């Protein structure tokens, strides 16, 4: 079986532009949407999450879930913000009850989800951020049309 | 009154016995026990999956260290919010069963209030005081009017301060735990080798809020941009410069909060309250009485849970056995227009 995976590329030269990508994602999100955010530390993954939250009408500050592993917010749809930075792999993820979070109602935004790649639903929207030499961010979006 | 305090909200499986709110009879953290066990590989950062395996043993160790048996315990307290739901439930269910079996009072405790209370076990301050919780998961500046009455003035709008310490340390391989490694390296470094920027919080009403995401990005991705051009780009200098900025931007908000509220007392809590530079800066505050928890009470521990619980029990407050655990506490979240 083969399928063509459409990838869009956006170049963002400011935090605001990166956030706008998040807003666009938030607008098309429906209950069950999983957004996987990839990229090095400081690339802007949390900025995308903030944009998604804004589009969902969440007014709370979006704070990093690195230590708490998950932060939950109420908006047009509930948003579960996961960060697997501290997770070692699938066994660890299951140990914290992660799969339940992956299939809960609302939109699930996951940072460092590469560590549990096999568990991600097939319709997961993958957003990859790369820091360019000039400081701009190259963002590849796979699995959604913005 | 001997209170058993249980804390399993995140990584640590911790249990303590505290008598009358001030006398710590034992204070056990599972990872301490693990170090004495033959262990394959590294000690995992995520201990939460081990709560179920460890809790019985940690409770027994806490009782043994206190020279007590279960029948000597007068009441049970457990962290039931906020935290990782699966982890919280292990402690909550254990504590409920313990209380039900022994027919003794039970209470669910707020983890954040407990951290803000921790210093009071050994160094009681009169209320009100400015509470500053600085840890890997939280950064909160608040007015503490009583052990249960807290008004949040400022929080982080992105990363917690301890998270910034850990991520910088991990990126530059400074060692683990990151906060301790940076503290140690910074003592031999030039804090002005790099002039990292503070956060820009012009938008919205953020007089006491902090932000660490920008600083983290600057230290990790833009070292050259903020280099002073002369000092060596050494680990010591990166650590010292980062620490100066991280603590400095917090202290600016703390000072403003003290001035605006007129409070003359300050209590710090959380893992970053162990940082020697932060302690030195807080001790420099003129005319302010400052209380820090001892090192063992900075990180997650059962003693702060038992200590705070004693105050509730003394005021006749308990929880019913049907309370649940909650991953979040809305009182510590702030909304922005």
């Amino acid at each position: 079986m083969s399928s063509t995976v459409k990838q869009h590329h956006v170049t963002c030269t400011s935090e605001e532009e990166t956030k706008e990508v998040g807003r666009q994602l938030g607008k098309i999100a429906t209950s069950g949407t999983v957004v996987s955010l990839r990229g090095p530390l400081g690339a802007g993954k949390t900025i995308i999450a903030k944009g998604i939250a804004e589009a969902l009408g969440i007014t709370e500050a979006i704070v990093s879930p690195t230590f708490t592993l998950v932060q939950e917010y109420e908006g047009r749809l509930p948003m579960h913000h996961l960060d697997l930075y501290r997770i070692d792999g699938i066994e660890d993820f299951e140990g914290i009850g992660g799969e339940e979070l992956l299939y809960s109602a609302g939109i699930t935004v996951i940072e460092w989800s590469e560590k549990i790649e096999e568990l991600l639903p097939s319709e997961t929207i993958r957003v990859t951020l790369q820091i360019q030499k000039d400081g701009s961010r190259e963002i590849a979006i796979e699995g959604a049309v913005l | 009154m001997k209170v058993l305090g249980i804390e399993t909200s995140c990584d640590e499986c911790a249990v303590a016995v505290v008598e009358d709110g001030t006398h710590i009879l034992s204070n056990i953290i599972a990872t301490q026990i693990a170090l004495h066990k033959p262990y394959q590989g590294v000690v995992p950062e995520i201990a939460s999956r081990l709560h179920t395996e460890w809790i019985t043993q940690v409770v027994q160790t806490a009782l043994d260290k206190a020279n007590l048996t279960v029948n000597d315990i007068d009441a049970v307290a457990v962290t039931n919010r906020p935290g990782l739901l699966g982890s919280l439930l292990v402690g909550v269910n254990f504590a409920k069963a313990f209380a039900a079996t022994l027919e003794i009072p039970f209470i669910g405790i707020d983890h954040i209030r407990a951290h803000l209370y921790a210093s009071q076990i050994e160094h009681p301050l009169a209320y009100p005081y400015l509470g500053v919780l600085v840890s890997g998961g939280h950064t909160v500046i608040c007015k503490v009017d009583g052990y249960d009455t807290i008004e949040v003035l400022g929080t982080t709008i992105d990363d917690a301060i301890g998270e910034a310490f850990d991520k910088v340390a991990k990126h530059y391989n400074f060692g683990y735990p990151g906060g301790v490694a940076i503290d140690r390296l910074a003592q031999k470094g030039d804090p002005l080798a790099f002039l990292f920027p503070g956060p820009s919080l012009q938008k919205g009403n953020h007089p006491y809020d902090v932000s660490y995401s920008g600083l983290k990005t600057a230290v990790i991705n833009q070292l050259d941009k903020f280099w002073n051009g002369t000092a060596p780009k050494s680990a010591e200098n990166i650590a010292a410069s980062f620490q100066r900025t991280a603590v400095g931007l917090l202290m600016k908000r703390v000072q403003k909060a003290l001035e605006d509220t007129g409070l003359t007392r300050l209590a710090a809590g959380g893992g970053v309250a162990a940082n020697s530079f932060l302690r030195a800066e807080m001790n420099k505050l003129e005319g302010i009485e400052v209380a820090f928890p001892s090192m063992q009470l900075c990180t997650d521990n059962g003693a702060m849970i038992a200590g705070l619980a004693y105050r509730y029990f003394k005021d006749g407050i308990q929880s019913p056995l049907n309370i649940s655990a909650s991953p979040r506490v809305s009182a510590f979240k702030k909304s922005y227009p």
Side-chain angles (χ1 to χ4, degrees):
Chain A
M1 198 181 79
S2 74
S3 65
T4 42
V5 180
K6 288 229 169 81
Q7 245 195 22
H8 303 263
H9 288 265
V10 190
T11 304
C12 297
T13 54
S14 70
E15 208 174 288
E16 187 50 35
E17 284 178 32
T18 304
K19 201 173 185 182
E20 181 56 27
V21 173
R23 286 192 203 101
Q24 297 293 331
L25 287 165
K27 274 183 201 155
I28 60 164
T30 55
S31 189
T33 297
V34 176
V35 180
S36 154
L37 300 175
R38 292 124 198 264
L41 280 181
K45 296 185 294 296
T46 304
I47 302 293
I48 300 262
K50 281 176 191 260
I52 294 173
E54 207 178 293
L56 293 173
I58 293 163
T59 56
E60 263 175 41
I62 304 302
V63 297
S64 169
T66 297
F67 265 76
T68 53
L69 300 168
V70 59
Q71 295 278 356
E72 317 219 23
Y73 303 92
E74 295 297 327
R76 171 170 69 78
L77 292 168
M79 177 171 118
H80 319 283
H81 186 192
L82 277 71
D83 186 341
L84 308 187
Y85 180 78
R86 300 195 305 134
I87 294 264
D88 267 342
I90 286 177
E91 201 187 317
D92 248 11
F93 186 70
E94 285 170 344
I96 63 156
E99 271 191 284
E100 249 169 77
L101 295 165
L102 216 48
Y103 291 98
S104 44
I107 168 165
T108 303
V109 179
I110 319 181
E111 303 187 24
W112 299 97
S113 65
E114 302 88 304
K115 297 179 177 181
I116 56 145
E117 191 69 47
E118 303 96 297
L119 297 182
L120 292 176
S122 56
E123 54 289 359
T124 296
I125 301 171
R126 291 174 170 78
V127 180
T128 308
L129 297 97
Q130 280 181 313
I131 307 176
Q132 305 297 301
K133 283 242 153 52
D134 64 359
S136 68
R137 305 295 198 260
E138 174 84 9
I139 304 179
I141 300 144
E142 197 181 294
V145 180
L146 298 190
Chain B
M1 178 187 248
K2 296 184 190 71
V3 178
L4 184 76
I6 298 174
E7 154 69 46
T8 63
S9 69
C10 196
D11 295 350
E12 310 291 4
C13 184
V15 181
V17 181
V18 179
E19 187 168 16
D20 296 337
T22 52
H23 191 41
I24 300 173
L25 302 179
S26 63
N27 188 23
I28 308 296
I29 298 173
T31 43
Q32 297 165 341
I33 300 175
L35 294 176
H36 301 293
K37 279 185 181 175
Y39 203 91
Q40 299 298 314
V42 293
V43 176
E45 261 191 78
I46 304 282
S48 60
R49 65 192 152 109
L50 299 172
H51 286 324
T52 316
E53 279 171 43
W54 277 351
I55 188 148
T56 312
Q57 195 193 333
V58 180
V59 169
Q60 190 57 55
T61 307
L63 290 169
D64 292 347
K65 277 269 161 72
N67 273 319
L68 300 172
T69 69
V70 287
N71 295 312
D72 297 317
I73 298 297
D74 300 304
V76 184
V78 63
T79 305
N80 76 325
R81 66 195 186 278
L84 197 60
L85 193 57
S87 301
L88 285 168
L89 283 171
V90 175
V92 169
N93 288 330
F94 186 95
K96 281 181 185 177
F98 195 94
T101 309
L102 295 169
E103 296 179 354
I104 54 175
F106 161 83
I107 192 165
I109 293 287
D110 178 334
H111 178 82
I112 294 177
R113 282 188 167 79
H115 268 303
L116 290 166
Y117 182 82
S119 64
Q120 305 307 296
I121 294 173
E122 297 160 321
H123 184 160
L125 289 178
Y127 293 108
Y129 57 78
L130 191 78
V132 181
L133 167 55
V134 278
S135 69
H138 306 280
T139 311
V140 182
I141 298 174
C142 55
K143 184 167 179 255
V144 183
D145 287 308
Y147 69 84
D148 188 49
T149 315
I150 284 160
E151 182 194 342
V152 175
L153 301 174
T155 65
T156 177
I157 62 156
D158 40 51
D159 298 357
I161 181 170
E163 178 180 344
F165 271 83
D166 272 2
K167 283 190 171 164
V168 166
K170 197 163 178 177
H171 181 81
Y172 288 110
N173 291 316
F174 285 163
Y176 183 83
V180 177
I182 287 180
D183 195 340
R184 196 184 52 236
L185 283 168
Q187 288 171 22
K188 289 180 229 139
D190 173 2
L192 297 172
F194 300 90
L195 303 169
F196 297 119
S200 56
L201 292 166
Q202 299 101 330
K203 275 192 282 178
N205 187 22
H206 298 284
Y208 315 112
D209 288 332
V210 291
S211 158
Y212 283 99
S213 175
L215 175 61
K216 172 191 75 186
T217 304
V219 177
I220 291 176
N221 295 323
Q222 302 167 300
L223 208 51
D224 289 339
K225 187 172 165 186
F226 300 106
W227 182 42
N228 74 1
T230 52
K233 294 179 190 173
S234 64
E236 288 83 0
N237 288 350
I238 296 170
S241 302
F242 160 73
Q243 182 177 266
R244 176 185 61 83
T245 314
V247 171
L249 71 91
L250 175 79
M251 288 306 296
K252 234 164 110 178
R253 273 60 172 194
V254 166
Q255 267 172 304
K256 177 157 175 57
L258 285 168
E259 282 163 21
D260 292 354
T261 57
L263 293 170
T264 56
R265 292 172 287 268
L266 184 160
V272 184
N275 180 273
S276 64
F277 181 64
L278 176 91
R279 289 191 175 219
E281 290 297 295
M282 285 189 168
N283 280 327
K284 275 190 215 159
L285 293 166
E286 253 177 73
I288 306 292
E289 186 187 356
V290 186
F292 296 103
S294 59
M295 293 298 170
Q296 53 161 0
L297 296 186
C298 283
T299 49
D300 289 353
N301 65 85
M304 66 181 187
I305 305 302
L308 175 55
Y310 173 73
R311 302 296 298 263
Y312 286 100
F313 287 133
K314 222 174 67 174
D315 287 345
I317 302 165
Q318 304 181 18
S319 300
L321 283 173
N322 64 358
I323 61 156
S324 64
S326 171
R328 63 205 299 276
V329 177
S330 54
F332 294 104
K333 296 268 184 175
K334 279 184 75 186
S335 284
Y336 298 98

